[in-house]
Amino acid sequence: MLNGTCRNFEIRRNFADLELHVVVVSSMHLPKKDAWGSCDAYCVVKLNNDTFETHVLKNTLAPHWEESGNFDLNWVKQLKHIPDLIVEVWDWDRNSVCFLSRLILQN
């Protein structure tokens, strides 16, 4: 992961239901992006063509989201594997967004 640490990240696979449950708990040591030395962080989790986003947490370098999302994996039956799970942290601003960090979980 670049420019920060992703911690307390949980993944559970349920192949009976073919669903992946992802919990984004927190991050720390994010870079300062705002004029007053903070950032407005949110997390984006991607799997194949599906995306799940957390809420924006303003004015923090150590956001604690505790948010979860589910990914339907029925399309994986043909592939016999799960593609990479990509977790990105972004800084939100009214006029733009700025990339902060990326974690790629390879299967």
Side-chain angles (χ1 to χ4, degrees):
M1 187 168 221
L2 304 173
N3 298 326
T5 303
C6 184
R7 70 177 237 237
N8 296 329
F9 191 84
E10 176 184 325
I11 298 175
R12 282 183 264 155
R13 293 186 222 182
N14 183 349
F15 286 108
D17 295 336
L18 292 175
E19 183 176 87
L20 179 68
H21 181 75
V22 177
V23 179
V24 178
V25 179
S26 63
S27 187
M28 55 191 285
H29 307 298
L30 294 177
K32 299 173 184 176
K33 290 294 181 179
D34 294 340
W36 45 89
S38 190
C39 70
D40 303 326
Y42 69 99
C43 191
V44 178
V45 183
K46 301 175 186 177
L47 180 67
N48 207 24
N49 294 323
D50 290 333
T51 302
F52 148 65
E53 290 186 17
T54 66
H55 290 89
V56 175
L57 295 180
K58 296 187 177 242
N59 302 319
T60 180
L61 298 178
H64 188 86
W65 291 285
E66 199 73 43
E67 295 183 33
S68 62
N70 294 312
F71 291 94
D72 178 21
L73 298 180
N74 285 313
W75 51 270
V76 175
K77 292 176 186 177
Q78 294 84 16
L79 301 178
K80 298 183 182 175
H81 75 283
I82 299 175
D84 296 345
L85 183 74
I86 301 170
V87 181
E88 297 175 337
V89 180
W90 292 81
D91 177 50
W92 178 89
D93 285 312
R94 185 168 306 238
N95 299 320
S96 66
V97 294
C98 179
F99 174 79
L100 297 177
S101 188
R102 177 178 291 129
L103 171 70
I104 300 175
L105 298 174
Q106 297 177 330
N107 194 10

